[in-house]
Amino acid sequence: TQLLEQSPQFLSIQEGENLTVYCNSSSVFSSLQWYRQEPGEGPVLLVTVVTGGEVKKLKRLTFQFGDARKDSSLHITAAQPGDTGLYLCAGEDDYKLSFGAGTTVTVRA
Amino acid sequence: ETGVTQTPRHLVMGMTNKKSLKCEQHLGHNAMYWYKQSAKKPLELMFVYNFKEQTENNSVPSRFSPECPNSSHLFLHLHTLQPEDSALYLCASSPQGRETQYFGPGTRLLVL
């Protein structure tokens, strides 16, 4: 299993603020996925990034895959209470996923 | 709706009990997975099934016994569990072992 480290572990911000979550590894991945998990539910896939340096935007969420395909970031602009949840990154290699421990994001109204 | 359902959603059991978790996927996928999610730890992959055949067992204790009768159903049979086995157990499926996995809502297990 390849280790992915997510930072910060917890993040609490006011509605309207921006936030960035990081996912780092010493391993190279074929692709990297971001999931959001709400309390009492399973993780839901947000995006998959495949190419080094790739940037994908999903409304107020921006995902970036590092040039070396070892790290990724998730940036949320003008966060809303509905963005509250556990954000998980998962690196894929040879069809196997390795997950980070997650970042718990709380957006206060 | 993710198309992956799990029952029960919550389970409390004693260390001498025997219980089973059920997972069903309605997505036509051929690969199914069991994960364990504990607080502040990464998701731990437990078992992988491809076309009903077990292809991965990540050194899971024998008190956890998986069963996959067909590509749509996956069970996890539990017996003589320990309190440290308390966790959220997640089932997932994917098309023919491809990397995009779709998760069920999980079963919250408490072992007393």
Side-chain angles (χ1 to χ4, degrees):
Chain A
T1 302
Q2 296 152 309
L3 184 64
L4 285 97
E5 295 186 356
Q6 290 190 240
S7 60
Q9 187 176 354
F10 298 96
L11 194 54
S12 180
I13 61 170
Q14 199 70 33
E15 181 177 5
E17 294 180 341
N18 302 333
L19 68 97
T20 302
V21 174
Y22 299 93
C23 175
N24 295 293
S25 176
S26 58
S27 301
V28 176
F29 294 104
S30 300
S31 68
L32 197 134
Q33 301 175 12
W34 284 94
Y35 292 80
R36 181 170 67 210
Q37 184 177 17
E38 299 184 13
E41 299 296 330
V44 175
L45 181 67
L46 296 173
V47 77
T48 301
V49 285
V50 179
T51 307
E54 181 178 2
V55 177
K56 276 193 175 180
K57 291 191 175 184
L58 189 68
K59 295 184 180 179
R60 293 176 295 100
L61 279 62
T62 301
F63 304 86
Q64 186 165 7
F65 201 12
D67 291 340
R69 305 208 314 276
K70 294 182 179 181
D71 54 83
S72 181
S73 64
L74 158 61
H75 183 78
I76 301 179
T77 303
Q80 299 176 0
D83 296 324
T84 292
L86 176 67
Y87 288 81
L88 298 165
C89 67
E92 182 268 326
D93 186 53
D94 195 23
Y95 302 128
K96 295 181 182 178
L97 288 183
S98 299
F99 282 85
T103 294
T104 299
V105 172
T106 302
V107 182
R108 305 184 304 274
Chain B
E1 182 181 350
T2 63
V4 181
T5 57
Q6 291 187 241
T7 55
R9 294 294 307 274
H10 302 273
L11 179 62
V12 180
M13 58 187 291
M15 289 189 285
T16 59
N17 292 156
K18 289 184 179 182
K19 296 287 184 183
S20 294
L21 310 185
K22 178 182 177 182
C23 175
E24 184 173 0
Q25 59 96 359
H26 312 274
L27 300 170
H29 293 166
N30 292 307
M32 296 187 78
Y33 311 78
W34 279 117
Y35 286 89
K36 176 183 179 182
Q37 186 176 33
S38 304
K40 301 179 183 179
K41 294 175 67 176
L43 267 71
E44 300 172 49
L45 179 63
M46 300 174 71
F47 302 103
V48 180
Y49 278 81
N50 262 297
F51 293 94
K52 303 186 299 179
E53 298 297 321
Q54 187 179 129
T55 56
E56 192 157 343
N57 175 341
N58 274 354
S59 303
V60 180
S62 59
R63 57 185 183 270
F64 294 91
S65 175
E67 178 188 1
C68 188
N70 55 62
S71 293
S72 298
H73 294 86
L74 185 64
F75 295 88
L76 188 62
H77 305 297
L78 316 171
H79 63 98
T80 59
L81 294 191
Q82 305 298 310
E84 58 265 29
D85 296 323
S86 299
L88 182 68
Y89 288 84
L90 291 162
C91 172
S93 71
S94 69
Q96 297 185 348
R98 299 297 300 187
E99 67 276 12
T100 301
Q101 297 180 18
Y102 298 81
F103 286 84
T107 295
R108 176 68 64 184
L109 174 67
L110 177 62
V111 182
L112 301 176

